[in-house]
Amino acid sequence: MVAINKIMSKQLSIFLEHLSLDPAKVHYMKTPAELIEDTILKRQGVLADTGALCIDTGKFTGRSPKDRFIVRDAITDPAVDWGAVNKPFEQEKYEVLKKEILDYVRQREAYIHDGFVCADENYRLNVRVIAEYPWSALFANNMFLRLHKDEVENFAPEWTVVCAPGYLADPAKHGTRQANFAIINFTDRAILIGGTGYTGEIKKGIFSVLNFLLPHDEKILSMHCSANVGKQGDTAVFFGLSGTGKTTLSADPQRSLIGDDEHGWSEEGVFNFEGGCYAKCVDLTEEKEPDIFRAIRHGALLENIRFCPGTRTVDYANISVTENTRVSYPLYHIENMMPGSVAGNPRNVFFLTADAFGVLPPISKLTPEQAMYHFISGYTAKVAGTEAGVTEPQATFSACFGAPFLPLHPTQYASMLGDLMRRHKVNVWLVNTGWSGGPYGVGSRIKLSNTRAMITAALEGNLSHVRYKTHEVFNLAMPMSCPGISDQNILNPVQTWKDQEAYKEKAIVLAQAFHRNFFKYAAQASAEILSGGPDKFGEIDMSAGGSDDIPG
């Protein structure tokens, strides 16, 4: 272990040049075992029977998108897509808040964890996390790429995250919306997080930073996706919002997992941003998600779960605290990981959607124009029971399948995707993991075995030489045959409906929802991108569009 006074004497980032911490109160680079022990001694957590640490994140059991801000300055002002997602924060208010949160940290114990993001060393970014709680530092150890022993002593942080859940802002004084906040400052190269213990704010804060720096400065496409690679070196990327099967379908025993959530795509290939996974665990079972289930052992961090009565066995069906129960664990807890978390350029990209209207084909091949359009759209659907007040399917859209984390305009990411897929001759597929034979409540959900068979067929090139039919509303190329599925009729969704006129009516309703949603991007979208959308049918009421989803 490197002596703390030696570490503190190193040249720090711009943000920490003026920060003096009491070495007696600083815990630097504690091991996971030590952080777990400190959490238990502070009565902030307990162990499950698997050895995983279980904690509660407090009032906030998820991110608070309305309380995430970006400081408006010379760097961000001309580049950021300001609006409901990227809310500006005044530099003067930030300086006041920074001083006070740092004063708060100085008066308490602080857990400092150094790591980095971006597995491709060409784009590596060194990150220092200063945490009030030991389990926040454990999360940082799990989620960021870990340093080798010889890298610790010479570590130079380029970005700093201050995480102080116990510090509450004064909205009238500090300019926040309420007491909690997550504020990104690109000049300071810092993220201030206060008033919330939800660890996802740390992860998604740095992800937002990368979503600005990589496309803007490095011309690297940053992606909210999972990725895996086959034994022949063929890389595949999976985009999809919550409930679409992104984690499940990328976890393939015949392929190595590169990562489950955040990646970059350079001219050389795909690389993971992270050193761990942050998975939802509601209704988790070993049968459904064996990799995740087996990864929950000593070193893993479980959030907001509850035990089966009288035991330390986690009851994954218990959502009495939140439906957003989570677990973080390091990549080395997964047996089938791709060494180095770097692979070549993708051959196939999959957009996953759980279409609850029963309209979209179970698999279709997209043109570059359609790929950019559907990437910007980021469509899926909510079904009855998923949220209060949702009684029938509702279209929901999240630009680039990750709108809450995109500082730049979505068309910039989509244009980069289009350029990359053309240069590398990538196949892009739209995969409906939702309903067939009718909407939710009438039809049935497409069998996972069929979806897996279609994805396997695409990966193995078995859909390259089959006949295709064009969807009459969305203009999607639907394969007319696919090996490995029991009923070939499901490939054309209209054939699964009893009333074909009812199907077309529902397809037109969904197409109009796409157009209403895309209206806000149209002014900055090229004619090429606009041509990738579905056909228009009559006048469209722009006031009744789908909503932007806020994925986890």
Side-chain angles (χ1 to χ4, degrees):
M1 183 66 66
V2 181
I4 186 63
N5 60 346
K6 189 174 183 180
I7 291 297
M8 300 310 292
S9 68
K10 298 266 179 208
Q11 182 178 2
L12 301 179
S13 66
I14 294 172
F15 178 76
L16 289 179
E17 283 178 354
H18 62 285
L19 176 61
S20 57
L21 296 176
D22 182 354
K25 294 181 179 179
V26 172
H27 304 282
Y28 179 72
M29 293 296 282
K30 281 203 163 187
T31 66
E34 290 171 324
L35 294 170
I36 291 167
E37 183 177 43
D38 281 5
T39 301
I40 294 171
L41 290 174
K42 291 176 181 292
R43 299 183 181 277
Q44 294 179 354
V46 298
L47 293 181
D49 56 9
T50 62
L53 178 64
C54 306
I55 59 97
D56 282 354
T57 60
K59 176 182 177 181
F60 292 93
T61 58
R63 290 180 309 99
S64 185
K66 293 181 180 179
D67 299 298
R68 178 263 209 185
F69 304 90
I70 297 176
V71 174
R72 190 194 288 267
D73 57 25
I75 295 174
T76 59
D77 186 48
V80 168
D81 181 32
W82 301 106
V85 171
N86 300 307
K87 294 172 289 297
F89 201 81
E90 295 180 19
Q91 180 71 43
E92 294 77 10
K93 296 286 189 182
Y94 169 83
E95 293 297 335
V96 174
L97 184 60
K98 177 176 74 172
K99 181 182 182 302
E100 293 193 8
I101 195 173
L102 293 181
D103 286 343
Y104 176 91
V105 170
R106 287 189 191 97
Q107 296 167 16
R108 289 161 175 80
E109 289 183 274
Y111 291 82
I112 297 181
H113 180 82
D114 289 341
F116 65 98
V117 290
C118 297
D120 186 331
E121 292 187 359
N122 293 309
Y123 310 105
R124 172 172 168 167
L125 191 72
N126 290 346
V127 178
R128 169 165 289 170
V129 176
I130 303 175
E132 179 182 5
Y133 297 154
W135 46 268
S136 300
L138 177 65
F139 178 84
N141 174 81
N142 286 349
M143 298 310 302
F144 296 144
L145 290 152
R146 288 158 289 279
L147 302 173
H148 298 299
K149 289 182 180 180
D150 60 346
E151 296 177 309
V152 174
E153 185 173 342
N154 296 312
F155 184 83
E158 297 168 283
W159 272 77
T160 301
V161 180
V162 177
C163 179
Y167 175 81
L168 302 178
D170 178 351
K173 179 180 181 181
H174 299 122
T176 57
R177 188 180 71 97
Q178 51 187 22
N180 64 295
F181 56 88
I183 304 173
I184 304 172
N185 188 318
F186 281 89
T187 297
D188 252 3
R189 291 179 288 161
I191 302 174
L192 305 183
I193 300 170
T196 172
Y198 183 65
T199 57
E201 296 284 12
I202 300 172
K203 163 187 163 72
K204 293 305 187 186
I206 289 295
F207 185 44
S208 296
V209 168
L210 293 173
N211 282 331
F212 180 89
L213 296 178
L214 290 178
H216 187 261
D217 297 344
E218 303 287 351
K219 308 308 178 189
I220 303 301
L221 177 61
S222 54
M223 305 179 291
H224 187 213
C225 66
S226 60
N228 63 26
V229 60
K231 294 176 182 177
Q232 304 303 316
D234 57 305
T235 303
V237 169
F238 299 80
F239 291 93
L241 301 178
S242 180
T244 59
K246 180 180 67 172
T247 300
T248 299
L249 292 168
S250 61
D252 185 331
Q254 302 303 316
R255 301 174 64 83
S256 297
L257 185 68
I258 303 169
D260 79 327
D261 196 47
E262 301 174 7
H263 294 82
W265 185 354
S266 71
E267 280 301 313
E268 291 71 38
V270 170
F271 58 93
N272 195 352
F273 289 166
E274 302 183 289
C277 301
Y278 190 44
K280 287 186 175 181
C281 49
V282 59
D283 292 328
L284 180 67
T285 65
E286 188 170 14
E287 180 182 10
K288 288 194 296 185
E289 300 283 1
D291 289 336
I292 297 175
F293 190 89
R294 294 164 192 165
I296 303 176
R297 56 183 191 267
H298 187 68
L301 180 68
L302 279 162
E303 298 178 354
N304 303 309
I305 55 83
R306 289 297 178 262
F307 298 127
C308 296
T311 75
R312 287 291 182 91
T313 300
V314 179
D315 180 2
Y316 291 110
N318 188 326
I319 55 173
S320 59
V321 179
T322 177
E323 289 189 14
N324 191 39
T325 52
R326 292 271 181 171
V327 60
S328 81
Y329 50 85
L331 287 175
Y332 57 77
H333 278 202
I334 297 289
E335 292 182 8
N336 201 31
M337 282 303 305
M338 177 67 181
S341 299
V342 176
N345 283 293
R347 294 184 190 173
N348 293 278
V349 170
F350 298 92
F351 297 161
L352 307 177
T353 177
D355 175 27
F357 295 93
V359 166
L360 295 179
I363 189 167
S364 51
K365 191 173 184 180
L366 305 183
T367 65
E369 296 79 13
Q370 290 173 330
M372 289 185 284
Y373 182 94
H374 284 273
F375 186 56
I376 292 175
S377 298
Y379 164 70
T380 192
K382 296 174 183 176
V383 298
T386 57
E387 288 186 9
V390 178
T391 58
E392 59 183 23
Q394 291 185 3
T396 184
F397 301 88
S398 184
C400 309
F401 300 94
F405 324 119
L406 304 181
L408 307 178
H409 194 277
T411 55
Q412 293 184 243
Y413 304 95
S415 295
M416 293 181 74
L417 175 70
D419 290 342
L420 284 164
M421 64 177 291
R422 285 191 184 92
R423 285 203 302 276
H424 300 291
K425 299 180 180 179
V426 181
N427 297 312
V428 181
W429 309 87
L430 182 65
V431 176
N432 176 18
T433 62
W435 276 257
S436 179
Y440 174 85
V442 177
S444 56
R445 187 134 195 195
I446 297 169
K447 293 180 180 178
L448 178 60
S449 58
N450 282 332
T451 301
R452 285 195 183 279
M454 292 178 219
I455 288 177
T456 298
L459 290 170
E460 294 179 350
N462 292 328
L463 296 182
S464 298
H465 305 292
V466 300
R467 294 175 61 198
Y468 282 80
K469 180 179 177 65
T470 301
H471 191 277
E472 63 177 330
V473 174
F474 280 83
N475 299 314
L476 302 168
M478 305 178 295
M480 297 181 66
S481 61
C482 177
I485 63 172
S486 54
D487 182 6
Q488 301 291 321
N489 286 328
I490 67 170
L491 295 170
N492 186 351
V494 70
Q495 295 180 353
T496 67
W497 282 55
K498 293 180 180 179
D499 186 339
Q500 295 193 0
E501 283 302 313
Y503 170 82
K504 185 171 182 179
E505 290 176 7
K506 188 66 72 175
I508 292 172
V509 168
L510 182 58
Q512 290 178 332
F514 269 80
H515 286 296
R516 285 193 296 268
N517 171 73
F518 210 87
F519 181 75
K520 57 182 174 284
Y521 308 118
Q524 295 192 46
S526 65
E528 179 186 34
I529 293 175
L530 292 171
S531 70
D535 290 337
K536 287 187 178 180
F537 295 85
E539 294 296 320
I540 299 172
D541 178 8
M542 291 299 176
S543 66
S547 63
D548 273 350
D549 187 40
I550 305 296

